[in-house]
Structures are given as C-alpha cells and as structure tokens.
Amino acid sequence: MPQDVTRNLGPSSSQSLTYESIGQAEDYSQILYNIDPTSTPILSRLPEGAALTATDTTWMTEQLEPPGENAHKEYEKYECHKVGSMEGLKNYAQFFQNDGWISDVQRKVKKIYNVPQGDVLAEAKTKAFTKQARDIEYALLNNDKARIGSESEAPLMGGVPYFMDLDTIDVTVDATKDSPTGIFTATKNHNLKTGDFVYLIGDTMPTGVKAGAMYYVRVDDTTPKTKFTIYDTIKDAVRGTADAVIKPSAAGTNVKIVKSNVKSLGGSTQYTLDDIDDVMLMAASRGGNPTDAYMSMENKRRFSKLVSALSTTQRQPKTRYGSLVADTYETDGGVISAHAHRMYASNRIDIFDFDYWELRYLEKPHEVENLAKDGTYEKFVLETKMTLQASQPKASASIIGIKR
C-alpha cells in the first residue's frame, strides 16, 4: 500500500545523478496494478507497452494475404504483384486524477477506530489509489469512443468496446429476377482480397445466405474495390468456379458484411454456446488465439450452466447431490476459460487474446509533488496519463447486444 512520503526538498548535491538529485516522481504503477486485483483483473493482467511520447498514438495492423492456388510453369517470366495492405488504428491518452485533503488537526487527533497506515493522510491516499485503479478499469471496460480533447472537453481513451465493435459495411446484391448474378456491391472500399472470408447480417437475409455463416470472397475483375461474389469454399472462390457462385433470388434488406470478430444479438436474445463457437471460429480463422472470456457474474452463471449441461454430473459415494461448476469450454476455435467480472455489463462478453493488448503510459501513476501548503490542511493529487493499445483486435472476439 502507498505510504505517506517525506520528501527531500534539498538543496541537492547536484542534479547530474539520480542519487544526488531531488524531484524524481515516485512510480506507483505496480501498486496500482496490485492494489485490488480481484476488482481490476483487466488492469492487473494487461502488459505494459512502450512509453507514449504524445497524447495520441497510432499503430499499424497488417492484413494477411489469404491462401490461394500457387502453381507456376517450369519456364515463365516473374510477374510481381502488389503486397498486402496495412491499416492504422489510433487512441488517445486519458488523464486520471484522484485527490483529497486532510486538515492538520484531523491528522493529530486520536481516533477510536483503527488507522491501518498509522496516519489518516496516508490512508486517504491508499483509498484514492484504489479508486483510481477502479476508474481505469471502468474506462478499459466501458469507453466505446475515443476523443482528442479540447479546451472545454477532457481527452478520452477508447477502451475494449472501442476496438471490439461491430465493424460493418453496407452491401447490396444483384438478385435480378430470372438472371441473378450474385454480385455484391459495397458502399465503400471493402479492402477484401480473393480468398478472404466474410460474414453477413441483415434485417432480412438474401435468399440462400445464412446470417453469421462464413463465406469466401472473389473480388470482381473490373471493380475490385467495391464488388465481389461469395462461395461456400475457398477453392471455388480462388478458381472462380462459375456454377458455385451463390446467387440469391431475393436481395434481402439492410444487408451488411461484418469485418470484425463481433456478433450482435440485437438485444433480443440471450447468448448460447453456439454464439461463442461462432465468434471463436471468426477469431481462429483470422489467426487469433483468444483464451480468456470476461463477462458479468450473471453471464458467468449462465456459461457454467450451459457447459455443465453438456456433461454428466458426477456424484461422489454417499452424497445425495452432485454439482459441477464449469469454467472451461472447448470450441472448434480453441479452448477458453470464463471469468466473472464485477464491472462487466450483462450485454457483452469479450474473449481476449492478451498477446495483442497493452497499456501505454504518458505518465505512470504518481503523486504530484510540491503542492503548496495554502491553509491548515495537507492536500494530495494522484495522477496517471495513459491509453490502451490493441495491436490486432481481430485476434480477439466479442458477443454484444445480449438480452438480459
């Protein structure tokens, strides 16, 4: 726990060496991580990345090339193609502050209750650090947008929902009566390549297309940035097998392709193990390996019941009832462990591949030094300036819009 610090105000021997100088800020980051890990498991678990050098940060994610038919003649000239594309992601540093003051008399008066730190000022700082840790955890779990900030508005870092959102592009499909072509047209550049896969959703799905199912893409030869056809197999998509093109006879309504590993239940249904299987398959197909699912206590209870229903409850001799608490589930996309989180809303579940998430600090947790004493009290300010970086959100998965 943090202690009240008696600082050396100098004069220093020199400011050339750390052990001769004064004015270094204390680094309380480890205290912040460990102060209440059961309440702040995400903050305590995320690794620390490189220090920020600006209030905003941008990083690049690479779009991997899909597999294809790679066969060449014995005698031919080299023909080189454009390499895979990159996509930039961005976040902003959020400034966390917790403060307080204690009067000089309050510090001196004997208490009838126990003061664990021996001093009410130190105890107040401990509580402020606990509050700051929970404030950061709240931001990580709830901030669904990021903003740079202005003179009248504080900057805000995007949290997990900011990166794990339903990333969609509106599309229409040619379902011309008697001669449908099955060509999908996106409203903007889809950044797809032949052999990539997509998921489709809509208020009404095109005839013969299943919502949430995986389809393979072949981009159009003449308009590759916005037009494509879909197939059930990657082989047919790569080869362009004419009779394998999926050609809906009805266009559906409000149809979209989903580019993130996120499935929305629209607030209309509770989640099932099929939903977890679906998003895990999305992540695994894109090269991710999510292993840890975080959810509300309510959803964790449902998770245990759903998984337990798949197995037989084992009864020990001489016991009347058996019980089984299931925390682990094996999907086709990998094995996940479920964790209940006090702060999680019941409308979402996030399944993390923690290799691609990290915290980055502009200023690590510290106490602001040398606050002027301007009254009969001691004041303190605890400060952290940081952001969340998701170097590859498509390695993780989420279910959102869960009905409570």
Side-chain angles (χ1 to χ4, degrees):
M1 293 293 187
Q3 302 290 327
D4 188 22
V5 179
T6 302
R7 295 185 181 81
N8 178 11
L9 300 181
S12 61
S13 300
S14 78
Q15 291 295 112
S16 300
L17 299 167
T18 57
Y19 54 81
E20 290 184 351
S21 63
I22 63 170
Q24 281 86 357
E26 298 89 349
D27 179 7
Y28 288 120
S29 56
Q30 291 304 314
I31 296 171
L32 198 65
Y33 299 155
N34 298 322
I35 199 164
D36 194 1
T38 58
S39 294
T40 58
I42 302 298
L43 173 63
S44 301
R45 178 153 186 184
L46 291 179
E48 182 181 330
L52 290 176
T53 56
T55 56
D56 63 331
T57 180
T58 302
W59 60 94
M60 307 305 294
T61 63
E62 185 174 4
Q63 181 181 5
L64 299 179
E65 293 284 336
E69 192 170 75
N70 195 338
H72 293 268
K73 295 176 290 187
E74 178 182 354
Y75 176 76
E76 66 179 22
K77 290 184 178 181
Y78 291 125
E79 182 179 352
C80 297
H81 301 83
K82 293 179 180 180
V83 298
S85 64
M86 302 285 286
E87 180 182 8
L89 297 177
K90 190 169 189 173
N91 208 351
Y92 301 99
Q94 184 168 338
F95 306 156
F96 295 87
Q97 287 183 8
N98 296 80
D99 53 58
W101 61 266
I102 301 291
S103 73
D104 297 338
V105 174
Q106 169 71 342
R107 295 186 67 188
K108 292 180 179 294
V109 170
K110 186 175 180 179
K111 307 297 187 293
I112 61 171
Y113 55 88
N114 181 40
V115 181
Q117 304 270 355
D119 180 80
V120 290
L121 180 61
E123 186 67 14
K125 290 180 183 179
T126 296
K127 293 177 180 178
F129 266 112
T130 303
K131 176 66 163 61
Q132 185 164 118
R134 292 176 179 173
D135 291 345
I136 295 173
E137 186 85 352
Y138 174 88
L140 293 172
L141 300 184
N142 291 281
N143 286 5
D144 56 2
K145 62 185 68 174
R147 62 172 179 249
I148 191 170
S150 64
E151 185 176 350
S152 59
E153 193 172 41
L156 196 71
M157 75 172 179
V160 173
Y162 170 66
F163 295 105
M164 301 304 297
D165 194 14
L166 195 64
D167 182 12
T168 61
I169 298 177
D170 291 316
V171 295
T172 55
V173 61
D174 179 9
T176 305
K177 188 177 181 180
D178 299 328
S179 58
T181 65
I183 295 176
F184 284 80
T185 302
T187 54
K188 61 181 180 180
N189 188 349
H190 51 56
N191 283 318
L192 296 170
K193 297 182 183 299
T194 294
D196 279 338
F197 61 87
V198 294
Y199 298 87
L200 294 101
I201 60 173
D203 294 341
T204 304
M205 295 300 296
T207 303
V209 176
K210 181 180 177 181
M214 181 188 295
Y215 295 97
Y216 293 93
V217 167
R218 181 175 182 85
V219 297
D220 188 73
D221 292 333
T222 56
T223 317
K225 290 185 177 181
T226 56
K227 293 188 176 184
F228 60 91
T229 48
I230 62 173
Y231 301 76
D232 284 320
T233 70
I234 189 172
K235 182 176 73 173
D236 287 329
V238 170
R239 294 182 177 179
T241 308
D243 59 1
V245 178
I246 296 175
K247 299 179 180 181
S249 57
T253 56
N254 197 27
V255 181
K256 307 173 187 292
I257 58 172
V258 181
K259 300 190 67 181
S260 54
N261 306 329
V262 178
K263 183 173 184 178
S264 174
L265 304 184
S268 60
T269 60
Q270 292 186 325
Y271 78 94
T272 66
L273 292 182
D274 283 343
D275 298 320
I276 293 177
D277 287 330
D278 286 345
V279 296
M280 285 292 290
L281 180 60
M282 293 179 190
S285 299
R286 290 189 167 112
N289 183 32
T291 56
D292 291 89
Y294 282 84
M295 60 194 76
S296 68
M297 295 181 180
E298 183 178 353
N299 281 335
K300 172 59 172 61
R301 190 183 315 122
R302 177 173 174 80
F303 179 94
S304 294
K305 290 180 179 178
L306 290 172
V307 175
S308 297
L310 297 178
S311 59
T312 302
T313 300
Q314 300 298 320
R315 297 185 180 181
Q316 299 297 324
K318 299 182 180 180
T319 59
R320 185 175 178 183
Y321 300 104
S323 64
L324 179 64
V325 177
D327 297 324
T328 304
Y329 177 55
E330 183 173 1
T331 76
D332 290 337
V335 179
I336 60 170
S337 297
H339 308 274
H341 195 300
R342 301 175 190 174
M343 293 189 198
Y344 250 82
S346 291
N347 64 351
R348 72 178 296 130
I349 294 173
D350 295 308
I351 312 175
F352 293 93
D353 184 337
F354 280 112
D355 288 342
Y356 297 96
W357 298 84
E358 61 186 16
L359 303 173
R360 297 187 62 189
Y361 290 95
L362 184 65
E363 289 184 7
K364 285 190 172 185
H366 65 281
E367 182 177 354
V368 177
E369 290 192 322
N370 301 324
L371 294 177
K373 186 172 176 59
D374 53 6
T376 58
Y377 53 88
E378 293 287 344
K379 55 189 176 184
F380 63 90
V381 177
L382 310 177
E383 202 172 43
T384 302
K385 298 176 182 176
M386 62 176 292
T387 195
L388 173 66
Q389 179 167 318
S391 55
Q392 186 48 275
K394 289 182 179 178
S396 298
S398 298
I399 303 171
I400 64 175
I402 300 170
K403 181 181 179 180
R404 191 168 187 183

